[in-house]
Amino acid sequence: MNRVNHLLENPTELLSLLHLTDMESAIIYLAGSLLEGFGNLRSDIDVYVLCKDEELETLRSAMAAIDGSFLLTAECIIRNITIRESRFDIEYWSRSKFTDLVGKISNLDFNTSDYIDRLSKEEFDVLHRLKYGKPLHNKQQFIELYQSVNFENLKYYKIVTQSEIYTGIVEDVQGAYLSKDFGSAFFMARNLIDIVMTGYLAGKGETNPGNKWLFRKLIRYEERCRELGEEIHLSEEYLRLQTHEYSLDTVQKYIKEVLGYCQKLNLESQNMLRAKQMEGILR
């Protein structure tokens, strides 16, 4: 966090490298794993720039002439730069696009039986990262934007989408098992544990979509529970199941155990979603 704090206190150099012509209307903030508490000495720092549509289009046209590698996507411009051995991932987003995205997550209706609107991977990621963001420029506008986002809906959105993935993988595991393809079923089952745990932890507020931080999310959730006087041991069970050795003598028993464990955890996630749905009905 020392690098982050230094940037927050001394933003001038970084701001000068963003190639913006209209700084007055731009919202710029830092985000990423370091700010979320998961990063390390080799972690890069994410910089988000929300600018006017015309500024973004100008940047799209000029980006080829700007130093540093870059990537143009449908949602944003991504640029990578290095300053004194610190790596920065800079994402430029249209403010109007971002405002639409805030409305999209805030207006999700979890009480409907219809297919709810979907966010792209990038859209979910940018909303999650905002939750831990720190303003670098235009602090008041950042605060107003932050307060307009329904971060709670990220939890329930993730439960819905992970549960859908869960259903498909369960069918795959069962199909491989019945076909006596126990090797494939074994590795599918291990993947299923991650899918279900991601949805469960999202319901508990850990909405980081990156699978690389799954164990860190699990440990942080347990620490929060202990602070509240509740002892849980999810990480022990997670490690036991994920480090189980493949053996023809035990693989069938293992697969059945994983399916039962994941069914129980997915049901708990669904109960969180139902509680949210009841809130909407009772209002």
Side-chain angles (χ1 to χ4, degrees):
M1 281 295 289
N2 288 339
R3 287 185 292 154
V4 172
N5 291 332
H6 176 76
L7 279 171
L8 292 171
E9 294 168 4
N10 305 276
T12 305
E13 181 180 13
L14 178 58
L15 292 176
S16 70
L17 297 174
L18 298 180
H19 297 278
L20 296 175
T21 59
D22 183 7
M23 290 293 293
E24 186 175 341
S25 66
I27 298 175
I28 304 168
Y29 60 96
L30 304 181
S33 57
L34 280 172
L35 284 90
E36 193 169 347
F38 293 155
N40 52 57
L41 293 174
R42 297 182 65 85
S43 295
D44 53 23
I45 298 174
D46 297 325
V47 183
Y48 285 87
V49 181
L50 312 183
C51 54
K52 289 183 176 179
D53 289 14
E54 51 267 31
E55 177 92 81
L56 190 67
E57 289 308 310
T58 299
L59 284 166
R60 284 185 186 275
S61 301
M63 198 55 70
I66 296 174
D67 291 335
S69 58
F70 65 93
L71 174 68
L72 302 179
T73 74
E75 285 89 4
C76 62
I77 300 171
I78 303 173
R79 182 170 165 238
N80 306 115
I81 64 172
T82 301
I83 303 176
R84 286 185 293 280
E85 298 185 358
S86 288
R87 293 178 295 114
F88 295 86
D89 286 343
I90 305 170
E91 291 194 16
Y92 299 83
W93 288 71
S94 154
R95 282 194 62 165
S96 63
K97 164 74 175 176
F98 205 92
T99 300
D100 291 343
L101 183 55
V102 169
K104 190 175 180 180
I105 191 66
S106 298
N107 294 324
L108 286 179
D109 181 8
F110 296 101
N111 291 311
T112 180
S113 59
D114 298 330
Y115 189 79
I116 65 171
D117 288 342
R118 287 298 187 259
L119 305 175
S120 69
K121 177 182 178 298
E122 291 79 10
E123 289 174 335
F124 185 94
D125 189 60
V126 73
L127 286 171
H128 166 79
R129 288 172 185 267
L130 176 62
K131 183 164 67 171
Y132 294 94
K134 297 289 184 183
L136 195 67
H137 178 72
N138 267 340
K139 181 177 180 179
Q140 186 55 42
Q141 291 187 47
F142 172 86
I143 293 172
E144 292 171 2
L145 174 68
Y146 189 95
Q147 293 175 341
S148 72
V149 181
N150 186 339
F151 290 111
E152 280 288 294
N153 276 359
L154 288 178
K155 301 191 319 185
Y156 302 108
Y157 176 86
K158 201 64 176 173
I159 290 175
V160 169
T161 54
Q162 293 300 114
S163 291
E164 290 172 352
I165 298 170
Y166 160 81
T167 301
I169 295 180
V170 165
E171 292 176 358
D172 290 341
V173 174
Q174 292 172 334
Y177 184 94
L178 291 172
S179 301
K180 300 189 183 304
D181 182 3
F182 298 125
S184 295
F186 175 83
F187 287 103
M188 290 175 190
R190 289 176 64 172
N191 183 37
L192 185 67
I193 299 167
D194 283 353
I195 296 300
V196 172
M197 189 65 74
T198 296
Y200 177 83
L201 290 174
K204 300 297 184 180
E206 295 288 352
T207 53
N208 188 307
N211 201 50
K212 66 180 179 179
W213 301 122
L214 180 55
F215 190 69
R216 294 285 295 275
K217 290 189 295 183
L218 186 47
I219 294 299
R220 183 163 69 180
Y221 169 59
E222 289 183 332
E223 289 171 349
R224 289 205 315 268
C225 289
R226 278 193 289 272
E227 289 171 2
L228 297 172
E230 182 183 357
E231 280 292 331
I232 62 169
H233 304 283
L234 274 176
S235 59
E236 292 178 14
E237 190 70 355
Y238 175 80
L239 285 173
R240 184 183 71 82
L241 291 172
Q242 284 290 29
T243 57
H244 189 282
E245 183 180 2
Y246 177 78
S247 166
L248 285 176
D249 295 330
T250 61
V251 65
Q252 295 181 57
K253 180 181 177 182
Y254 169 77
I255 292 167
K256 290 178 181 178
E257 182 182 10
V258 168
L259 287 173
Y261 177 77
C262 290
Q263 182 181 38
K264 177 183 175 183
L265 210 57
N266 186 62
L267 182 59
E268 291 187 37
S269 298
Q270 291 301 310
N271 287 338
M272 290 184 243
L273 181 59
R274 274 192 283 273
K276 169 67 173 176
Q277 292 167 337
M278 287 303 297
E279 276 181 26
I281 293 170
L282 294 174
R283 281 178 186 168

